[in-house]
Amino acid sequence: MIELGVNIDHVATVRQARRTYEPDPVIAAALAEQGGADGITFHLREDRRHIQDRDVELLVQTVTVKTNFELACAADVLSIAVRVKPDWALLVPESREEVTTEGGLNVLGDDGRIAAAVDQLKAAGILTSLFIDPDVNQVAAAAKLGVDAVELHTGPYALAKREAFDVELDRLRRAGEVACAEGMRLHAGHGLNYTNVRPVALIEGMIELNIGHSIVSRALMVGMRDAVAEMRRILDVVAA
């Protein structure tokens, strides 16, 4: 069975548009669990553009499936992760100029920062993963750091068309082979949706997929009718 991690960041994005208290990503996480999520993923960015410190605290306390804390190799968020102790920590690159994560960590070019973050997280008893591009050399470098898993960046695959689709899928397969041979769990995510997820799920050795934007987008559509109907019922009672 492929494990499904649901990323709830963009529920918080909607909330932060008004800087209010709804929609609450903590409630969204509970609903995702009810829908069959095997894990809840959340990214505490340095600029706090969506998930907030309060969310992290409550998510780790209330989520009953596994928690997957995305973070950069930055001292302040690392200290939070070590204190709250999620089940998993996923180290990702981060730029304040980007709209969303644009690529994987450059493990090959690590100056010691990634290695130090991995050591700090593992010392706290947190399972650790690296978000990397589907490059066999990056996978091999990740294995040398002793991480428990790699999450392959599926963004280029998700955007690929025609012949490029097969090329990107093959990159994911080959990177996956190396990850499995090195004894790491194989995860993948970024840009996966209801139409392109199946080929990635079928990659040999794939254990977990982390999907956020597509699920939140879908929820806005299929959940809107019930939300409007509920408001309609309230107003109908008032008018009666």
Side-chain angles (χ1 to χ4, degrees):
M1 183 187 79
I2 301 294
E3 297 174 15
L4 172 61
V6 176
N7 187 314
I8 56 167
D9 290 349
H10 292 304
V11 176
T13 297
V14 176
R15 178 192 61 191
Q16 294 308 111
R18 285 289 186 94
R19 300 193 183 281
T20 181
Y21 56 86
E22 62 180 2
D24 190 335
V26 178
I27 295 175
L31 293 171
E33 285 192 52
Q34 292 173 19
D38 300 294
I40 301 297
T41 295
F42 47 91
H43 184 177
L44 185 66
R45 282 181 170 267
E46 291 184 81
D47 62 10
R48 306 302 197 267
R49 67 176 63 172
H50 39 56
I51 294 293
Q52 304 296 301
D53 294 42
R54 165 264 186 198
D55 303 327
V56 172
E57 299 276 357
L58 290 176
L59 287 164
V60 173
Q61 291 171 18
T62 60
V63 168
T64 61
V65 292
K66 65 185 175 187
T67 48
N68 183 28
F69 187 160
E70 286 190 33
L71 68 161
C73 299
D76 65 327
V77 287
L78 277 167
S79 65
I80 292 171
V82 167
R83 177 172 56 80
V84 302
K85 290 183 169 49
D87 298 300
W88 282 86
L90 172 62
L91 292 171
V92 301
E94 192 172 303
S95 167
R96 296 200 179 194
E97 292 75 29
E98 66 188 3
V99 174
T100 185
T101 306
E102 296 176 344
L105 285 167
N106 182 10
V107 189
L108 283 170
D110 181 33
D111 59 2
R113 195 177 186 207
I114 300 173
V118 169
D119 289 344
Q120 186 177 351
L121 292 165
K122 290 181 76 66
I126 301 168
L127 295 168
T128 306
S129 177
L130 301 182
F131 184 75
I132 59 174
D133 292 328
D135 176 279
V136 294
N137 295 317
Q138 293 287 356
V139 175
K144 291 179 181 177
L145 295 184
V147 295
D148 301 285
V150 290
E151 180 168 322
L152 301 181
H153 177 29
T154 52
Y157 160 83
L159 295 173
K161 303 193 184 302
R162 300 182 180 87
E163 294 83 4
F165 179 88
D166 291 332
V167 172
E168 293 299 335
L169 183 59
D170 186 59
R171 288 182 69 210
L172 291 166
R173 286 174 177 147
R174 288 187 286 111
E177 289 174 1
V178 176
C180 293
E182 293 284 359
M184 296 181 291
R185 280 175 57 107
L186 179 60
H187 303 172
H190 201 80
L192 296 177
N193 58 40
Y194 294 87
T195 59
N196 66 21
V197 69
R198 188 180 297 274
V200 179
L202 289 171
I203 290 175
E204 185 72 27
M206 187 63 68
I207 293 177
E208 176 179 312
L209 298 178
N210 284 295
I211 305 172
H213 187 266
S214 180
I215 290 176
V216 173
S217 299
R218 178 71 173 159
L220 286 173
M221 299 297 105
V222 301
M224 184 65 73
R225 181 176 64 182
D226 288 345
V228 173
E230 183 178 350
M231 181 62 73
R232 180 71 267 163
R233 286 193 296 272
I234 293 171
L235 296 180
D236 288 344
V237 169
V238 170

